[in-house]
Structures are given as structure tokens and as C-alpha cells.
Amino acid sequence: MSIKNINTLAVTAGINKDAHHGAVVAPIHLSSTYALKGFNEKRQFDYSRTGNPTRALFGETIAELEQGSVGIVTGTGMAAVHLICQLLTPEDTVVIPHDCYGGSFRLFTHLAKRGQFKLIVIDQNDQQALTDALAQKPKLVLIESPSNPLLRLVDIEEVTKACHEVGALVAVDNTFLSPALQLPLTLGADIVFHSTTKYINGHSDVVGGVLVTKTQELGETLAWWANCIGITGSAFDSFLALRGLKTLPVRIKQHQENALQVASFLKNHSGVDAVYFPGFEDHAGHQIAKKQQSGYGSMLSFEVKGGVEAVKKLFDNLSLFTLAQSLGGVESLISHPSTMTHAGMEIADQLEAGITQSLVRISVGIEFIDDILADLAHGLEQSQK
Ligand SMILES: *Cc1c(COP(=O)(O)O)cnc(C)c1O
């Protein structure tokens, strides 16, 4: 029986596959090395940087969920981004969105400064800018949808089609939605990647990454590089991330239910100037979200009335929300992109990307909704005093 349902795929990964002891849950294989059967007689695994059973199971499971061929587990999400850069030479051009994850922005701009490739930074919803960038015949185009922290959406299918016409590879950062809500490979992308630190692990206790390719060939090239440069993830982290993955669909369900209520609450609050949430009909990307996502996710951002002083008062008066970077864990987190996640970007670049001093980002957790709303209500009331 071939199973396609994501809830079942996530739960059944590695279950009852242990031929040796019949362990129901797949064990953690911590051994760094594997004995050969005899002279020049290798088993499936020989050395854990190259391949490890626990990591392989996690990678195969994500590849299955993303409907791709090869899943490569990396030590961090940034390692997955860096792995993609191994495909580039100094003659190649890369196109990235102006509002991509701060760490990705920093990596691409600094590697470009060192001459490792040419870089074009654009707003991918600006048709002219996209056409001009593609006229340069880029080797790689990075898409991040929804973007961080303003939840801007890019039509993955349409942009990918245009990229393929000029021979560019398309890599999509799917961290904000997870395979439970968006499947970029089915929309045409060549590579999808995640910071598994976020929704996939979901418990804020692992830093990790994963990358899935549509074709076997590209997957083998990148797996070769992952072993060569030594950025593969650990067995222990793979075990934890796989355990987290089992509840991904049910966590996402609760995250989304809560996020919808938080977004509506903020929209109607007098201390809030604007709310960025793709679930709203007046959000610029709402139609794209409806088309390519199976839910609106649980990330949102908003502008607090009164600028940075009001933001500080809001943070000082919250008790359920934790002021911290990161996202996608079961607990609700709040952050100030300008001084936190996007601090690696020059202020001018931040403003160009729409990141103001009064912008606040929330990762809505799965706590009881009334407690979440009460905390926000109290914080916002104090912020306006
Ligand atoms: C966190 C994050 C990354 C980087 O992942 P790490 O695990 O922190 O290295 C990349 N993209 C997005 C959208 C992220 O949120």
C-alpha cells in the first residue's frame, strides 16, 4: 500500500522497521563508523559524515513529504543554503529577494563581495525588475514565500516558469510553511529547503536544516558536496527532528487556528497600525496564498502605534510571549526584526525591504488561545500609555 497522506507519512516514518530487535521507534545510531563485512566489502553505511542510518531516515522522510527525490540533512538551515552555493562559479549570477531571511541575505551578499558569484537583489513582485534580472541569465534564483518578516508572497509556479525559460535553477525556502502547507517541488521548483530548527522540529531544541531536490541527479551532486565540505547533520539532531516531525500536521493545525484569531484581534486593536497576515483578504498576496498554500501559516507581523518606544513597552509587559528570535516552536515568540533577526542588514536595506522600527513579528504558538490574546491585550494596552 502506498501512503500519500502527510499525517500518516509523518507518523509512520521509521515505525516498526527494526529487523534486529523489533524496536517500534527507529533508534539513534551514534556510531561514527561502520565495519566492513570483509576486504572491499562495504555495507550501506561506512562513515557517518557521508551517511548515517538515523539521518538517512529523516532525510528520506522529508523528501517523501516534499515529493522530491533526494533529501540531504544539514547541520543548520544556513548550511543548507550554503550547500546550494556549491553549485556556483564566479561567472554565475544569482537572484535573491530583497526581503529574504536575514542570514541568507548576509551569506549571499558577503560571498558575492568575495567574488564567488554575481548577485542581483530584487523585489520578485516587481515584474520589470524580475524580467531585467532574468535577462542576465542567472544560474540560480532563490524564492522565499512567505517572506520574513512581512509575509509577502511570490507566485512560485509563475516565477519558476520564467526562471526555467532562461535556464535558471529555482530554490525555495519553505521554512515558514513546512511541507504540511506548501509543496514547492510540485509547483515546479528544483530545490526546496528548510531550517528544521523551526516548524519541522517544532520544539525549539534543535538547530538543523534539510534540502530536497526534485531530480536524483541534482540530489547526488549536492549530497557529494555535503559530504565533501562536511555539513551533514548529526544523528542525535536527526532523531529529535524526526520525533518532532511526527506531530507536524497536528501542531500546524493548532498553530493556524490560533494565528487566525491573533491576526483578527490585532487588526481590530487601536494600538496597532497594520497587520501583515496572508489570511486577510486585503493582504497583497492573499490570492497567491489561496492558490499555492493549503493554509495561511502562523507567522504574522504588525506595526505598533507609537514607534520603537511603544514596542519596548509592549515587550516589557508581556508574560506568555517570550522575546526571542526563531519561530515555529510550540511556544509563542515575539521579536523586533530590525534589531534582532535582520540586524545583519544595513538600516537602509531594512527600510528598502519595509522593515521599520515599529515592526513586530510573532510566531503564534499552540497555547490556549484565550491566554495568548489576554497577554497581547495587556501588553498593547500598556504600550499605548
Ligand atoms: C531560521 C531560518 C533560516 C536559517 O536556519 P538556521 O537553522 O537558523 O541556520 C533560513 N531561512 C528561514 C526562513 C529561517 O527562518
Side-chain angles (χ1 to χ4, degrees):
M1 184 178 78
S2 155
I3 295 163
K4 279 274 176 275
N5 180 275
I6 181 168
N7 297 37
T8 309
L9 283 175
V11 170
T12 53
I15 294 292
N16 195 16
K17 296 277 163 60
D18 176 26
H20 200 65
H21 295 296
V24 173
V25 170
I28 318 177
H29 290 276
L30 293 173
S31 186
S32 59
T33 189
Y34 293 83
L36 277 76
K37 282 190 216 155
F39 178 74
N40 209 13
E41 274 185 75
K42 279 190 190 168
R43 296 176 200 263
Q44 183 183 355
F45 298 101
D46 60 359
Y47 184 61
S48 273
R49 169 166 32 79
T50 320
N52 171 283
T54 314
R55 189 172 69 228
L57 173 62
F58 179 49
E60 283 158 17
T61 306
I62 300 282
E64 205 171 6
L65 293 178
E66 289 284 4
Q67 299 186 29
S69 302
V70 179
I72 301 167
V73 179
T74 55
T76 67
M78 285 316 302
V81 185
H82 198 194
L83 179 58
I84 302 169
C85 294
Q86 304 306 318
L87 298 170
L88 305 166
T89 69
E91 285 72 47
D92 292 329
T93 296
V94 180
V95 178
I96 66 167
H98 67 145
D99 54 355
C100 64
Y101 175 69
S104 303
F105 189 87
R106 179 173 55 196
L107 178 70
F108 281 104
T109 50
H110 282 75
L111 289 182
K113 259 185 221 159
R114 271 183 9 197
Q116 300 213 347
F117 45 77
K118 287 170 250 170
L119 184 67
I120 302 176
V121 183
I122 56 161
D123 172 354
Q124 290 170 341
N125 280 312
D126 177 341
Q127 281 308 320
Q128 193 55 49
L130 182 65
T131 305
D132 292 347
L134 294 184
Q136 301 299 310
K137 300 232 178 304
K139 171 85 183 269
L140 173 74
V141 176
L142 183 82
I143 295 178
E144 193 176 315
S145 182
S147 74
N148 181 19
L150 285 162
L151 289 305
R152 292 199 183 103
L153 290 241
V154 169
D155 188 321
I156 297 174
E157 195 167 19
E158 224 162 75
V159 172
T160 300
K161 210 182 277 168
C163 292
H164 284 170
E165 275 166 19
V166 299
L169 282 172
V170 175
V172 179
D173 187 334
N174 202 20
T175 301
F176 266 39
L177 291 176
S178 89
L181 298 177
Q182 180 168 269
L183 297 168
L185 298 182
T186 67
L187 299 167
D190 303 284
I191 298 170
V192 59
F193 64 91
H194 292 271
S195 164
T196 54
T197 315
K198 316 296 167 55
Y199 288 102
I200 287 181
N201 178 61
H203 295 75
S204 304
D205 51 11
V206 172
V207 174
V210 70
L211 174 160
V212 178
T213 60
K214 184 154 63 186
T215 68
Q216 185 72 25
E217 189 190 1
L218 183 59
E220 281 169 14
T221 302
L222 287 171
W224 186 90
W225 275 110
N227 176 52
C228 176
I229 59 179
I231 56 163
T232 46
S234 81
F236 199 86
D237 289 353
S238 299
F239 173 83
L240 284 177
L242 187 65
R243 185 167 77 158
L245 180 69
K246 289 178 189 294
T247 55
L248 175 75
V250 285
R251 279 188 281 113
I252 291 283
K253 195 165 165 244
Q254 191 61 48
H255 275 298
Q256 291 204 110
E257 242 176 77
N258 286 357
L260 206 60
Q261 294 214 40
V262 169
S264 307
F265 167 82
L266 291 171
K267 196 174 195 175
N268 295 317
H269 200 287
S270 58
V272 174
D273 273 335
V275 182
Y276 306 100
F277 180 62
F280 289 145
E281 274 176 26
D282 59 1
H283 183 277
H286 182 67
Q287 291 308 325
I288 301 175
K290 271 173 76 170
K291 190 175 104 173
Q292 70 189 18
Q293 302 174 194
S294 50
Y296 301 112
S298 44
M299 293 301 299
L300 54 90
S301 55
F302 61 100
E303 309 263 353
V304 181
K305 203 166 270 172
V308 74
E309 284 307 310
V311 170
K312 189 179 173 308
K313 280 190 230 161
L314 165 67
F315 290 172
D316 285 347
N317 286 284
L318 291 172
S319 53
L320 179 72
F321 278 83
T322 302
L323 176 60
Q325 314 223 18
S326 203
L327 59 110
V330 289
E331 72 290 346
S332 290
L333 298 180
I334 197 160
S335 69
H336 184 239
S338 176
T339 54
M340 294 168 68
T341 47
H342 288 64
M345 256 168 118
E346 304 283 340
I347 293 288
D349 291 331
Q350 287 186 8
L351 289 174
E352 180 77 25
I355 301 165
T356 67
Q357 288 303 304
S358 35
L359 187 74
V360 168
R361 188 190 79 178
I362 286 184
S363 170
V364 182
I366 64 169
E367 303 92 340
F368 180 45
I369 186 63
D370 292 4
D371 293 334
I372 296 177
L373 296 182
D375 200 37
L376 281 174
H378 175 71
L380 281 169
E381 189 191 329
Q382 297 300 314
S383 79
Q384 300 302 304
K385 281 190 176 160

